[in-house]
Amino acid sequence: MRYLTGIKPTGDIHIGNYFGAIKPMVESQSDNNELFVFVANYHALTSVNTGADLRRMTNDVLTTYLACGLTHPNTTLYLQSQVPEVHELTWYLSCRATVSELNRAHAYKDAVANGKVPNHGLFAYPVLMAADILMFNPDFVPVGKDQKQHVEFARDWAQSFNNTYSETFKLPEPKIEETLMTIPGTDGRKMSKSYNNVIPLFGTDAQVKKAIMGIVTDSIPVEDPKDPETCNVFAIYKLMASLEEQDALAAKYRAGGMGYGEAKKTLLEKFHEYFGPIREKKQYYEGHKEEVGKLLADSQTRIDREVYKLMNKVIRKVGVDIL
Protein backbone atom coordinates (compact mmCIF):
# COMPACT_ATOMS: atom_id res chain seq x y z
CA MET A 1 0.00 0.00 0.00
CA ARG A 2 1.09 3.57 -0.65
CA TYR A 3 0.58 6.26 2.02
CA LEU A 4 1.05 10.02 1.78
CA THR A 5 1.02 12.74 4.40
CA GLY A 6 2.58 16.11 5.15
CA ILE A 7 2.97 18.79 7.81
CA LYS A 8 2.82 22.54 7.21
CA PRO A 9 5.84 24.38 8.69
CA THR A 10 4.10 27.29 10.38
CA GLY A 11 5.37 27.02 13.94
CA ASP A 12 7.03 24.76 16.45
CA ILE A 13 6.23 21.06 16.14
CA HIS A 14 3.96 19.93 18.95
CA ILE A 15 2.87 16.58 20.34
CA GLY A 16 -0.40 16.79 18.41
CA ASN A 17 1.63 16.67 15.18
CA TYR A 18 3.53 13.69 16.52
CA PHE A 19 0.63 11.55 17.70
CA GLY A 20 -1.80 12.63 15.00
CA ALA A 21 0.46 12.34 11.96
CA ILE A 22 4.08 11.33 12.50
CA LYS A 23 3.77 8.36 14.85
CA PRO A 24 1.17 6.53 12.71
CA MET A 25 3.45 6.97 9.69
CA VAL A 26 6.50 5.67 11.54
CA GLU A 27 4.52 2.62 12.63
CA SER A 28 3.25 1.96 9.11
CA GLN A 29 6.77 1.72 7.67
CA SER A 30 7.48 -1.76 6.34
CA ASP A 31 8.83 -3.57 3.31
CA ASN A 32 5.23 -3.89 2.07
CA ASN A 33 4.32 -0.20 2.26
CA GLU A 34 5.51 2.87 0.37
CA LEU A 35 5.44 6.19 2.22
CA PHE A 36 5.60 9.65 0.72
CA VAL A 37 6.08 12.19 3.51
CA PHE A 38 6.55 15.87 2.75
CA VAL A 39 7.00 19.29 4.30
CA ALA A 40 4.18 21.50 2.99
CA ASN A 41 6.25 24.67 2.61
CA TYR A 42 4.12 26.09 -0.23
CA HIS A 43 1.06 25.88 2.03
CA ALA A 44 2.91 27.79 4.72
CA LEU A 45 3.01 30.90 2.53
CA THR A 46 -0.56 31.72 3.51
CA SER A 47 0.75 32.70 6.94
CA VAL A 48 4.57 32.86 6.93
CA ASN A 49 5.85 36.13 5.51
CA THR A 50 9.65 35.99 5.76
CA GLY A 51 12.03 33.70 3.93
CA ALA A 52 14.19 33.21 7.02
CA ASP A 53 11.22 31.98 9.07
CA LEU A 54 10.07 29.60 6.35
CA ARG A 55 13.55 28.10 5.95
CA ARG A 56 13.92 27.64 9.70
CA MET A 57 10.52 26.02 10.16
CA THR A 58 10.93 23.84 7.06
CA ASN A 59 14.20 22.49 8.43
CA ASP A 60 12.51 21.97 11.79
CA VAL A 61 9.85 19.70 10.29
CA LEU A 62 12.34 17.81 8.14
CA THR A 63 14.72 17.06 11.02
CA THR A 64 11.71 16.13 13.16
CA TYR A 65 10.69 13.50 10.62
CA LEU A 66 14.15 11.98 10.79
CA ALA A 67 14.40 12.19 14.58
CA CYS A 68 11.07 10.40 14.94
CA GLY A 69 12.23 7.52 12.77
CA LEU A 70 10.93 8.09 9.24
CA THR A 71 14.05 6.47 7.83
CA HIS A 72 12.87 3.23 6.17
CA PRO A 73 14.21 2.61 2.62
CA ASN A 74 10.62 2.64 1.31
CA THR A 75 9.96 6.08 2.81
CA THR A 76 10.47 9.13 0.60
CA LEU A 77 10.92 12.39 2.51
CA TYR A 78 10.72 15.55 0.45
CA LEU A 79 9.82 19.21 0.40
CA GLN A 80 6.66 20.30 -1.37
CA SER A 81 8.83 22.83 -3.20
CA GLN A 82 10.77 19.96 -4.76
CA VAL A 83 7.63 19.33 -6.82
CA PRO A 84 6.86 22.61 -8.68
CA GLU A 85 4.59 20.60 -10.98
CA VAL A 86 2.11 20.51 -8.13
CA HIS A 87 1.08 24.04 -9.17
CA GLU A 88 0.32 22.90 -12.69
CA LEU A 89 -1.80 20.06 -11.38
CA THR A 90 -3.51 22.51 -9.02
CA TRP A 91 -4.73 24.48 -12.05
CA TYR A 92 -6.16 21.39 -13.76
CA LEU A 93 -7.95 20.44 -10.54
CA SER A 94 -9.14 24.02 -10.03
CA CYS A 95 -11.11 23.58 -13.23
CA ARG A 96 -12.94 20.68 -11.56
CA ALA A 97 -13.53 22.43 -8.20
CA THR A 98 -16.59 24.61 -7.66
CA VAL A 99 -16.77 27.84 -5.70
CA SER A 100 -19.51 26.37 -3.49
CA GLU A 101 -17.19 23.52 -2.50
CA LEU A 102 -14.38 25.90 -1.60
CA ASN A 103 -16.77 28.12 0.34
CA ARG A 104 -17.65 25.24 2.64
CA ALA A 105 -14.06 24.18 3.32
CA HIS A 106 -13.69 23.90 7.10
CA ALA A 107 -10.19 25.38 7.22
CA TYR A 108 -11.26 28.43 5.20
CA LYS A 109 -14.37 29.06 7.27
CA ASP A 110 -12.44 28.66 10.54
CA ALA A 111 -9.72 31.06 9.40
CA VAL A 112 -12.23 33.74 8.40
CA ALA A 113 -14.21 33.22 11.63
CA ASN A 114 -10.98 33.80 13.58
CA GLY A 115 -10.38 37.13 11.88
CA LYS A 116 -7.89 36.09 9.20
CA VAL A 117 -8.07 38.23 6.06
CA PRO A 118 -9.09 35.87 3.25
CA ASN A 119 -6.86 35.76 0.20
CA HIS A 120 -6.80 33.52 -2.83
CA GLY A 121 -4.14 31.26 -1.35
CA LEU A 122 -6.30 30.58 1.68
CA PHE A 123 -9.42 30.10 -0.45
CA ALA A 124 -7.72 27.75 -2.93
CA TYR A 125 -5.80 25.88 -0.23
CA PRO A 126 -7.86 22.65 -0.64
CA VAL A 127 -7.05 22.46 -4.36
CA LEU A 128 -3.30 22.64 -3.75
CA MET A 129 -3.72 20.00 -1.06
CA ALA A 130 -5.63 17.80 -3.49
CA ALA A 131 -2.78 18.17 -5.97
CA ASP A 132 -0.29 17.17 -3.27
CA ILE A 133 -2.28 14.01 -2.66
CA LEU A 134 -3.12 13.02 -6.22
CA MET A 135 0.37 13.67 -7.62
CA PHE A 136 1.62 10.42 -6.08
CA ASN A 137 -1.55 8.30 -6.36
CA PRO A 138 -1.60 7.04 -2.76
CA ASP A 139 -3.96 4.37 -1.49
CA PHE A 140 -4.31 6.01 1.93
CA VAL A 141 -3.87 9.48 3.43
CA PRO A 142 -3.54 9.39 7.25
CA VAL A 143 -5.45 12.37 8.64
CA GLY A 144 -7.17 13.55 11.76
CA LYS A 145 -10.95 13.62 11.75
CA ASP A 146 -10.94 17.37 11.10
CA GLN A 147 -8.81 16.89 7.96
CA LYS A 148 -11.01 14.23 6.37
CA GLN A 149 -12.76 16.83 4.20
CA HIS A 150 -9.51 17.55 2.33
CA VAL A 151 -9.23 13.93 1.23
CA GLU A 152 -12.91 13.94 0.25
CA PHE A 153 -12.32 17.00 -1.93
CA ALA A 154 -9.34 15.29 -3.56
CA ARG A 155 -11.47 12.23 -4.29
CA ASP A 156 -14.32 14.33 -5.72
CA TRP A 157 -12.07 16.32 -8.06
CA ALA A 158 -10.12 13.22 -9.08
CA GLN A 159 -13.38 11.48 -9.93
CA SER A 160 -14.56 14.52 -11.89
CA PHE A 161 -11.29 14.52 -13.86
CA ASN A 162 -11.56 10.77 -14.45
CA ASN A 163 -15.14 11.11 -15.66
CA THR A 164 -14.18 13.88 -18.06
CA TYR A 165 -10.88 12.62 -19.42
CA SER A 166 -10.89 8.87 -18.61
CA GLU A 167 -9.34 6.99 -15.70
CA THR A 168 -6.27 8.87 -14.48
CA PHE A 169 -6.19 9.23 -10.70
CA LYS A 170 -6.56 6.65 -7.98
CA LEU A 171 -9.19 7.67 -5.42
CA PRO A 172 -7.37 7.80 -2.07
CA GLU A 173 -8.98 6.78 1.20
CA PRO A 174 -8.59 8.78 4.40
CA LYS A 175 -7.00 6.68 7.14
CA ILE A 176 -8.20 7.86 10.52
CA GLU A 177 -6.81 6.38 13.72
CA GLU A 178 -9.97 6.14 15.80
CA THR A 179 -8.12 6.56 19.10
CA LEU A 180 -6.21 9.57 17.79
CA MET A 181 -8.94 11.40 15.91
CA THR A 182 -8.42 14.62 17.89
CA ILE A 183 -5.43 15.32 20.10
CA PRO A 184 -6.58 17.58 22.97
CA GLY A 185 -4.78 20.83 23.56
CA THR A 186 -3.98 22.45 26.87
CA ASP A 187 -7.36 24.21 26.82
CA GLY A 188 -9.37 21.12 25.89
CA ARG A 189 -9.91 22.11 22.27
CA LYS A 190 -8.09 20.36 19.43
CA MET A 191 -4.35 20.92 19.85
CA SER A 192 -3.45 23.52 17.25
CA LYS A 193 -0.89 26.26 16.76
CA SER A 194 -3.82 28.45 15.71
CA TYR A 195 -5.31 28.13 19.20
CA ASN A 196 -1.97 28.59 21.01
CA ASN A 197 -2.75 25.52 23.11
CA VAL A 198 0.11 23.20 22.21
CA ILE A 199 2.78 21.28 24.09
CA PRO A 200 5.96 21.88 22.04
CA LEU A 201 7.78 18.67 21.19
CA PHE A 202 11.18 20.35 21.06
CA GLY A 203 10.64 23.31 23.35
CA THR A 204 13.02 24.07 26.20
CA ASP A 205 12.38 22.30 29.50
CA ALA A 206 10.90 25.54 30.82
CA GLN A 207 8.55 25.91 27.82
CA VAL A 208 7.35 22.31 28.11
CA LYS A 209 6.78 22.66 31.85
CA LYS A 210 4.85 25.91 31.39
CA ALA A 211 2.59 24.32 28.77
CA ILE A 212 1.87 21.19 30.82
CA MET A 213 1.35 23.00 34.12
CA GLY A 214 -1.02 25.36 32.32
CA ILE A 215 -3.41 22.64 31.14
CA VAL A 216 -6.98 23.65 31.93
CA THR A 217 -8.77 21.50 34.52
CA ASP A 218 -11.97 21.73 36.54
CA SER A 219 -12.12 23.03 40.11
CA ILE A 220 -12.80 19.78 42.02
CA PRO A 221 -10.96 19.97 45.39
CA VAL A 222 -7.84 17.90 46.00
CA GLU A 223 -9.52 15.55 48.47
CA ASP A 224 -12.47 14.64 46.20
CA PRO A 225 -12.54 11.80 43.65
CA LYS A 226 -12.12 12.86 40.03
CA ASP A 227 -13.08 11.36 36.68
CA PRO A 228 -9.92 10.74 34.61
CA GLU A 229 -11.94 10.36 31.41
CA THR A 230 -13.05 14.00 31.51
CA CYS A 231 -9.62 15.43 32.36
CA ASN A 232 -7.38 17.02 29.74
CA VAL A 233 -4.26 16.02 31.68
CA PHE A 234 -5.22 12.35 31.66
CA ALA A 235 -6.25 12.47 27.99
CA ILE A 236 -2.74 13.61 27.04
CA TYR A 237 -1.05 11.23 29.49
CA LYS A 238 -2.81 8.27 27.86
CA LEU A 239 -1.01 8.99 24.58
CA MET A 240 2.38 8.28 26.16
CA ALA A 241 1.67 5.79 28.94
CA SER A 242 1.29 2.02 28.99
CA LEU A 243 -2.06 0.50 29.96
CA GLU A 244 -0.67 -0.34 33.39
CA GLU A 245 0.47 3.25 33.91
CA GLN A 246 -2.88 4.57 32.74
CA ASP A 247 -4.73 2.28 35.16
CA ALA A 248 -2.49 3.33 38.05
CA LEU A 249 -3.03 7.05 37.46
CA ALA A 250 -6.76 6.57 36.85
CA ALA A 251 -7.02 4.81 40.22
CA LYS A 252 -5.43 7.84 41.92
CA TYR A 253 -7.97 10.11 40.26
CA ARG A 254 -10.90 8.02 41.45
CA ALA A 255 -9.55 7.54 44.99
CA GLY A 256 -9.35 11.25 45.76
CA GLY A 257 -6.50 12.95 47.57
CA MET A 258 -4.60 13.78 44.38
CA GLY A 259 -4.71 17.29 42.99
CA TYR A 260 -4.41 18.19 39.34
CA GLY A 261 -0.99 19.68 40.04
CA GLU A 262 0.31 16.22 40.95
CA ALA A 263 -1.24 14.76 37.82
CA LYS A 264 0.47 17.44 35.72
CA LYS A 265 3.85 16.63 37.31
CA THR A 266 3.29 12.96 36.46
CA LEU A 267 2.56 13.96 32.86
CA LEU A 268 5.68 16.13 32.73
CA GLU A 269 7.86 13.21 33.88
CA LYS A 270 6.25 10.94 31.30
CA PHE A 271 6.84 13.54 28.55
CA HIS A 272 10.60 13.59 29.19
CA GLU A 273 10.78 9.81 29.48
CA TYR A 274 8.83 9.28 26.25
CA PHE A 275 10.31 12.03 24.08
CA GLY A 276 13.85 12.22 25.50
CA PRO A 277 15.45 9.97 22.82
CA ILE A 278 13.62 11.79 20.01
CA ARG A 279 14.73 15.18 21.33
CA GLU A 280 18.36 13.96 21.35
CA LYS A 281 18.12 12.70 17.74
CA LYS A 282 16.67 16.04 16.67
CA GLN A 283 19.78 17.78 17.98
CA TYR A 284 21.94 15.33 16.04
CA TYR A 285 20.28 16.03 12.69
CA GLU A 286 20.32 19.78 13.30
CA GLY A 287 24.10 19.49 13.67
CA HIS A 288 24.55 17.30 10.57
CA LYS A 289 22.84 19.26 7.81
CA GLU A 290 24.90 17.53 5.13
CA GLU A 291 23.08 14.27 5.90
CA VAL A 292 19.72 15.99 5.54
CA GLY A 293 20.78 17.58 2.25
CA LYS A 294 21.92 14.25 0.84
CA LEU A 295 18.60 12.68 1.79
CA LEU A 296 16.69 15.34 -0.16
CA ALA A 297 18.97 14.90 -3.16
CA ASP A 298 18.45 11.14 -3.11
CA SER A 299 14.68 11.53 -2.91
CA GLN A 300 14.57 13.83 -5.96
CA THR A 301 15.22 10.99 -8.41
CA ARG A 302 12.26 8.99 -7.18
CA ILE A 303 10.02 12.07 -7.04
CA ASP A 304 10.92 13.10 -10.59
CA ARG A 305 10.11 9.63 -11.90
CA GLU A 306 6.67 9.60 -10.28
CA VAL A 307 5.83 13.17 -11.31
CA TYR A 308 6.92 12.64 -14.93
CA LYS A 309 4.80 9.51 -15.21
CA LEU A 310 1.63 11.19 -13.92
CA MET A 311 1.96 14.63 -15.47
CA ASN A 312 2.71 13.26 -18.95
CA LYS A 313 -0.58 11.42 -18.74
CA VAL A 314 -2.51 14.45 -17.43
CA ILE A 315 -1.04 16.87 -19.99
CA ARG A 316 -1.88 14.53 -22.85
CA LYS A 317 -5.46 14.04 -21.67
CA VAL A 318 -6.28 17.73 -21.16
CA GLY A 319 -4.77 18.55 -24.56
CA VAL A 320 -2.08 21.12 -23.78
CA ASP A 321 0.59 19.00 -25.53
CA ILE A 322 -0.25 20.25 -29.00
CA LEU A 323 3.31 19.98 -30.37
Side-chain angles (χ1 to χ4, degrees):
M1 295 288 102
R2 178 175 286 189
Y3 295 79
L4 180 140
T5 193
I7 290 178
K8 183 169 65 171
T10 54
D12 294 334
I13 298 292
H14 55 79
I15 67 169
N17 300 136
Y18 176 79
F19 287 110
I22 300 174
K23 183 172 181 282
M25 293 302 288
V26 172
E27 293 174 343
S28 68
Q29 292 182 118
S30 75
D31 292 337
N32 298 320
N33 291 330
E34 289 182 284
L35 275 65
F36 284 78
V37 186
F38 68 101
V39 184
N41 53 342
Y42 284 143
H43 283 296
L45 291 171
T46 61
S47 57
V48 180
N49 296 309
T50 74
D53 283 342
L54 185 58
R55 290 186 197 95
R56 175 180 56 80
M57 290 187 283
T58 297
N59 275 305
D60 186 39
V61 175
L62 191 58
T63 52
T64 295
Y65 282 152
L66 293 169
C68 291
L70 283 167
T71 54
H72 192 279
N74 284 356
T75 297
T76 302
L77 295 183
Y78 64 99
L79 306 182
Q80 190 182 26
S81 55
Q82 285 181 261
V83 193
E85 294 86 351
V86 75
H87 295 299
E88 183 178 3
L89 183 56
T90 296
W91 177 248
Y92 300 139
L93 295 175
S94 291
C95 296
R96 317 315 309 168
T98 68
V99 172
S100 62
E101 287 173 317
L102 296 176
N103 270 325
R104 63 182 175 84
H106 300 323
Y108 174 73
K109 291 194 296 184
D110 288 349
V112 172
N114 282 292
K116 189 162 187 176
V117 177
N119 55 39
H120 179 261
L122 187 62
F123 187 65
Y125 193 100
V127 192
L128 178 56
M129 186 172 289
D132 292 328
I133 293 169
L134 298 175
M135 182 68 77
F136 294 100
N137 272 323
D139 298 287
F140 297 103
V141 182
V143 290
K145 185 179 180 182
D146 60 311
Q147 292 288 312
K148 182 181 177 184
Q149 185 189 51
H150 287 299
V151 184
E152 292 171 343
F153 280 150
R155 287 173 56 87
D156 289 344
W157 299 329
Q159 186 65 71
S160 174
F161 189 98
N162 291 349
N163 290 342
T164 303
Y165 295 107
S166 79
E167 200 70 22
T168 307
F169 297 108
K170 186 182 295 183
L171 302 186
E173 295 285 347
K175 187 176 188 297
I176 301 173
E177 294 285 341
E178 293 299 324
T179 58
L180 297 176
M181 287 194 297
T182 301
I183 309 301
T186 56
D187 61 359
R189 294 183 292 177
K190 170 202 168 187
M191 187 173 289
S192 170
K193 289 168 279 195
S194 301
Y195 297 148
N196 195 30
N197 66 352
V198 305
I199 299 174
L201 181 53
F202 300 108
T204 64
D205 288 353
Q207 288 170 332
V208 172
K209 182 177 181 180
K210 181 179 179 181
I212 289 177
M213 299 309 289
I215 294 173
V216 174
T217 58
D218 58 40
S219 56
I220 296 175
V222 171
E223 61 274 11
D224 290 357
K226 302 167 185 64
D227 183 359
E229 300 305 327
T230 62
C231 177
N232 295 328
V233 179
F234 189 76
I236 298 171
Y237 180 80
K238 284 170 65 176
L239 298 170
M240 310 175 205
S242 66
L243 288 175
E244 292 77 12
E245 290 169 330
Q246 293 176 40
D247 289 343
L249 185 58
K252 287 186 176 182
Y253 270 81
R254 297 187 177 105
M258 181 188 74
Y260 289 118
E262 183 180 341
K264 291 175 182 180
K265 289 178 181 177
T266 301
L267 172 58
L268 180 61
E269 292 173 2
K270 179 53 63 178
F271 173 94
H272 286 294
E273 176 189 328
Y274 189 95
F275 287 114
I278 291 174
R279 284 158 67 90
E280 288 179 10
K281 288 180 183 177
K282 179 73 156 53
Q283 289 183 331
Y284 170 83
Y285 284 112
E286 287 175 343
H288 293 77
K289 292 184 178 180
E290 71 285 353
E291 289 188 32
V292 180
K294 183 179 184 305
L295 181 147
L296 291 178
D298 290 345
S299 71
Q300 191 71 58
T301 301
R302 185 177 185 188
I303 290 168
D304 289 346
R305 183 174 64 246
E306 292 285 337
V307 169
Y308 178 83
K309 182 169 60 177
L310 178 77
M311 292 306 293
N312 258 10
K313 189 187 302 182
V314 170
I315 289 168
R316 189 171 63 252
K317 289 187 178 185
V318 299
V320 296
D321 62 335
I322 60 171
L323 298 179

